[in-house]
Each structure stands twice: as C-alpha cells, then as structure tokens.
Amino acid sequence: MATLALALFFALLAIAVAHALWGLRIWWPWSDERSLARTVVGAPNIEKMPPSYQCMAVAAVMFLLAALTLLLGGISRTLWLADWALTSVGTAASAIFILRGIVGYLPFWAKITPEQPFRRYDQRMYSPLSITLGVGMYLLSQSFVAAGTG
C-alpha cells in the first residue's frame, strides 16, 4: 500500500501546488487568466479565475489529503489523531472524489460548465482522475482498517 499512498500523495501534491500558484495569481502553465479559467473552471463566459482565497482553500484541502495518504499508507504516523478519524476522513474523501468524477459525465454538469477546453478535459482527464483518486483513497482507507490500525 505504500506505493499507492505515494502515488496518491504526489498526485494530490501536484494539484495542491497548482491551486496555490493560482491563488498567488500565477497562471501556470497558461499564459493568461482567461485561458486558465476556461480550462479549469469552465463556467459560461468565464473570463477570470475564482478569488485567491478559494484557490488557496482548495490548495490547503489537497495538501491535507496528500498528508492523509501518507498516514493511511503507513508511511507516516500521528499521535494526535485517532485511527478511526483517519479512516473516516479517508472514506469521506474517497466518496467525494468518486462523486465528483461521476458528476463530470452527467448532462446537468455540461450545462453548468460548457466552456472549452474545460468540457473536453473534464471528460478525458479531470473526471477520470477524480474517480482514480477516490478509488485509491478508498483502498488505502480499507487497507488501514484491515491492518487493524483503523
């Protein structure tokens, strides 16, 4: 499970870093705000990225979830958080990621996020990645329970 934990850790870390950069108003890897917003948000006629605090909030959550994967994978330990809490948060995160992935394929989501290239990326990359992260987080959480630590 350590390999899965590390794979999830680095994927979530990359997502966190990207959101932190956007929160700092660095439009990496795009050259302008409008292109980035149309690629990662996809709302109708979007011209600007969400406010910095929203990007930073997503970055913080992703950093915490990245750390959680190390805990669930047995790579790191904590003395201040109960094992049942780690398992519960991991299972909840799993469900949220899987639901986000599924939503990306539903017609109502296409109406809410019609901009290209977001639509295309959501179907080919964002939704599959969300489902993969969710399944991985679920496997880690269940492994943690099976090991008798959760």
Side-chain angles (χ1 to χ4, degrees), residues 19 52-62:
H19 282 81
S52 288
Y53 74 89
Q54 289 179 358
C55 296
M56 289 300 194
V58 172
V61 169
M62 292 300 129

Side-chain angles (χ1 to χ4, degrees), residues 1 72 138-149:
M1 282 296 140
L72 291 173
Y138 179 79
L139 292 173
L140 279 180
S141 297
Q142 294 310 302
S143 173
F144 192 72
V145 170
T149 52

